Amino acid sequence: MIRNRHVTEQRNTVPAPDTTRVINRHQPIHEPRPGIISEREPDPDLRVLIQPGYATGDMFGIAAALIDDDELHVVISKGNGTFTDHTDKADSIQKFYKDSGIDEKRIHLIKVKKLRGVATKEKLKQRAAKFRRGRRIGGVNYGTDYIARKYSENLKNKLKDRWDINNREDDAIKKWLEQQGIPTSGDRLLILWSRFSGKGGDIHIEHDTSYTGIKQIVYRVAEMYDTIIITGDKGYIKERGSKFDDIAREVNTDVQSSRVFNITEFWDGEPEFLSWMGTTRFGQFKLYDYFERHFNEVKHLGFRSGNLEVMAMLGYKVRYLEEMGSESGARMFAWRAVEGGKTEKKGDATGYERLQLTEPPTRSGKYLQKKIREINTETAEEKAKINDEKEKEEIEKEAGRRKSKYTGAYFAPHKKDGTIPIPISKEEKSRFSEGFNDGDMNTILGFLRPERWIDRQVTYNPVIPQKRKVYEKLLESSGNI
């Protein structure tokens, strides 16, 4: 087989082009304008913040702030035992903070009747007021803003120290990789992150992974990388975790080389085979740090998630995928580089930059994006007909309530709370294609293609088109996927 040829070179130290600005000129209206400081900008004398017990995605940024500011306190809501809420992760959040070396005297759990609601937020504020020094109490986005203001080489090293990221377990990690048949060193390594928490009953189904999308990426870059690793979630139904094995096996057969590997949810393996603490969060961090030190160039890619934020804070090269018009897209814009490697808030940029897509790669995501777009259009038309500002505010609030159905867990095909799922119908889904469109694939390849790479003819077709799935016999039924 004829291989692609590339020019041997030293590790690339030139930052990847800002594809958010260069490729995609149209930004969501929710994004802050350059030079405008967010209302969430922390006060210098702020010393307390509140965190809902379900906000695990913000846990890493908050942990970083607590590590760097040893006078900062956090108040976390936790169910009082009178109700069941599968999103209540207060205990695991508290444990992660303690494991990070944060004094438990600065971590305050307060029991509430329910995790969401105005009354709960007020109760958290009342408890937080005991530790307040400034005029205000920080919210759950405080950690994100803190990194935007304070991230530096020193803070990165401090995080590595607190999270016990070092080379002491290298021999054990190397042995485990060898047992999996995974290369322990090399030139180029790509780590693709899988996410299925939305379909599993959490929020933002539109940011879940597409099996077809992963297959498209792997085929297009198989010749560019020595090793490609798929990590993260197996799938919303555990039995379907084999789909990534199938993709790896198919690509390896066509490429005639073992270079694609599936390690999704490796942390659930037998502890004796993960002697380097791979079953813990810190142990997972150690594996990715091992890769960073033993391959010449490592790139991480996946949809926006807390795990990718950690990879960026640890200094790795990360890009996150997000569709145009994402309702929650503004938050992570605080981390983007603007000038001289700095953020708008003057901290060092972590390197956590966005690759903006025109649409999600899943049929579910495309459907949800379409519904949100329709609500936004209707809302704009309604507001244009009136002049009263209070009426406009009410219209916006109602639109927010309507859109929450499409950004939350309402359409999840699996519900953690035990309620009967009401997923998107087969008929609705069949209107859309699986996978990335050509333009979005070009955006992704702009980041993944090595510098000076020269494409050559190969013996297989590396271009996997989008896929349509028509439920010919099932469309008449009311069954759900």
Side-chain angles (χ1 to χ4, degrees):
M1 180 180 66
I2 300 175
R3 300 280 185 196
N4 283 345
R5 182 183 66 198
H6 68 276
V7 179
T8 302
E9 58 188 348
Q10 292 182 340
R11 184 171 183 174
N12 177 27
T13 57
V14 180
D18 186 344
T19 52
T20 296
R21 293 171 179 271
V22 176
I23 297 176
N24 302 291
R25 294 182 294 274
H26 304 291
Q27 298 178 350
I29 59 175
H30 305 281
E31 292 163 5
R33 292 170 293 167
I36 302 298
I37 300 299
S38 166
E39 291 181 357
R40 297 192 302 267
E41 177 70 21
D43 293 333
D45 55 351
L46 174 66
R47 285 296 182 272
V48 63
L49 61 105
I50 59 177
Q51 179 179 7
Y54 56 80
T56 54
D58 301 274
M59 175 174 70
F60 304 111
I62 291 175
L66 289 165
I67 288 170
D68 198 47
D69 182 352
D70 57 13
E71 292 187 30
L72 181 66
H73 290 246
V74 60
V75 178
I76 308 167
S77 59
K78 171 182 169 60
N80 63 6
T82 61
F83 66 97
T84 300
D85 189 331
H86 71 278
T87 67
D88 189 348
K89 305 295 183 183
D91 290 335
S92 61
I93 292 172
Q94 180 190 45
K95 183 179 186 304
F96 182 74
Y97 293 161
K98 287 183 178 179
D99 290 346
S100 299
I102 298 161
D103 191 333
E104 62 182 337
K105 294 180 180 178
R106 295 194 286 130
I107 309 167
H108 312 275
L109 260 61
I110 181 167
K111 293 186 177 182
V112 295
K113 294 180 180 179
K114 58 181 181 178
L115 290 185
R116 294 164 176 81
V118 176
T120 296
K121 190 172 183 179
E122 287 304 313
K123 189 171 183 179
L124 286 173
K125 286 183 177 180
Q126 290 174 11
R127 179 65 182 273
K130 296 181 179 180
F131 313 102
R132 181 178 58 188
R133 291 187 181 180
R135 300 185 310 277
R136 36 187 304 279
I137 294 169
V140 72
N141 292 311
Y142 181 83
T144 301
D145 289 327
Y146 192 94
I147 294 298
R149 291 190 305 120
K150 296 287 190 178
Y151 187 75
S152 65
E153 185 74 13
N154 181 60
L155 178 52
K156 179 188 75 175
N157 292 333
K158 189 180 292 187
L159 295 178
K160 285 189 172 184
D161 179 62
R162 289 292 191 92
W163 291 339
D164 198 30
I165 299 173
N166 49 62
N167 61 5
R168 290 196 295 271
E169 284 81 19
D170 276 8
D171 290 343
I173 293 175
K174 181 179 180 181
K175 181 179 179 181
W176 180 79
L177 290 171
E178 290 172 343
Q179 290 171 340
Q180 315 305 310
I182 300 173
T184 57
S185 62
D187 186 12
R188 295 191 179 100
L189 167 65
L190 171 61
I191 300 176
L192 296 173
W193 286 80
S194 166
R195 178 194 191 272
F196 281 97
S197 55
K199 287 186 174 68
D202 290 330
I203 62 174
H204 294 307
I205 299 175
E206 70 276 15
H207 291 160
D208 277 358
T209 297
S210 162
Y211 290 115
T212 300
I214 290 290
K215 187 174 180 178
Q216 288 176 305
I217 293 173
V218 172
Y219 261 106
R220 288 296 292 273
V221 304
E223 294 289 338
M224 302 176 188
Y225 289 84
D226 300 316
T227 306
I228 300 173
I229 288 175
I230 305 170
T231 190
D233 297 337
K234 280 187 177 181
Y236 77 93
I237 296 178
K238 300 302 180 184
E239 296 90 314
R240 295 186 180 179
S242 61
K243 283 195 174 184
F244 287 133
D245 288 331
D246 294 340
I247 291 172
R249 190 161 39 246
E250 180 182 339
V251 177
N252 288 337
T253 299
D254 286 343
V255 177
Q256 297 179 16
S257 174
S258 294
R259 62 181 64 188
V260 184
F261 303 91
N262 170 25
I263 64 168
T264 51
E265 299 186 23
F266 69 87
W267 50 86
D268 285 339
E270 295 298 326
E272 58 265 32
F273 296 113
L274 297 170
S275 58
W276 40 278
M277 301 194 312
T279 58
T280 68
R281 286 194 184 274
F282 293 171
Q284 294 165 38
F285 298 166
K286 292 174 190 287
L287 175 63
Y288 302 116
D289 193 68
Y290 176 96
F291 287 140
E292 186 72 16
R293 290 181 285 103
H294 288 81
F295 283 79
N296 291 333
E297 183 172 14
V298 182
K299 293 181 180 180
H300 295 256
L301 177 69
F303 271 85
R304 179 164 56 84
S305 72
N307 286 325
L308 282 179
E309 292 175 25
V310 172
M311 298 298 104
M313 286 192 287
L314 293 176
Y316 312 151
K317 186 178 290 185
V318 179
R319 292 294 181 272
Y320 69 94
L321 302 171
E322 186 173 56
E323 76 281 2
M324 203 174 286
S326 172
E327 291 290 296
S328 56
R331 182 175 72 90
M332 293 316 303
F333 253 56
W335 286 16
R336 65 175 174 176
V338 287
E339 290 183 15
K342 297 287 186 179
T343 69
E344 290 179 0
K345 298 182 180 181
K346 308 307 179 185
D348 290 347
T350 63
Y352 191 58
E353 301 288 336
R354 182 181 70 178
L355 298 183
Q356 191 179 60
L357 308 177
T358 59
E359 61 183 9
T362 62
R363 292 173 298 126
S364 299
K366 290 180 174 72
Y367 168 80
L368 296 172
Q369 182 189 47
K370 177 177 178 290
K371 301 304 285 188
I372 290 172
R373 224 172 18 235
E374 288 175 353
I375 294 172
N376 286 338
T377 299
E378 292 170 6
T379 302
E381 291 174 350
E382 286 184 47
K383 290 172 63 178
K385 296 176 183 178
I386 60 176
N387 295 319
D388 187 272
E389 292 301 322
K390 288 187 177 180
E391 285 188 47
K392 289 184 179 182
E393 288 180 11
E394 287 303 315
I395 291 173
E396 281 286 356
K397 288 180 182 178
E398 177 59 25
R401 286 190 285 268
R402 290 173 62 196
K403 287 188 288 188
S404 65
K405 177 179 178 179
Y406 301 103
T407 57
Y410 182 87
F411 287 111
H414 173 78
K415 293 292 185 68
K416 292 182 177 179
D417 59 8
T419 59
I420 299 175
I422 312 175
I424 304 164
S425 71
K426 293 183 175 75
E427 183 176 10
E428 292 285 2
K429 279 190 174 183
S430 68
R431 305 173 192 272
F432 304 97
S433 299
E434 296 178 1
F436 298 105
N437 62 44
D438 292 342
D440 289 342
M441 273 303 302
N442 286 334
T443 297
I444 293 169
L445 289 172
F447 168 59
L448 296 183
R449 183 182 288 112
E451 186 180 359
R452 300 179 186 176
W453 180 263
I454 300 174
D455 286 325
R456 295 290 300 274
Q457 184 178 1
V458 292
T459 59
Y460 59 92
N461 184 3
V463 179
I464 306 296
Q466 287 184 301
K467 186 169 87 175
R468 292 299 298 268
K469 191 171 186 178
V470 180
Y471 301 89
E472 297 176 352
K473 295 182 180 181
L474 299 176
L475 290 179
E476 296 180 1
S477 72
S478 58
N480 293 317
I481 298 175

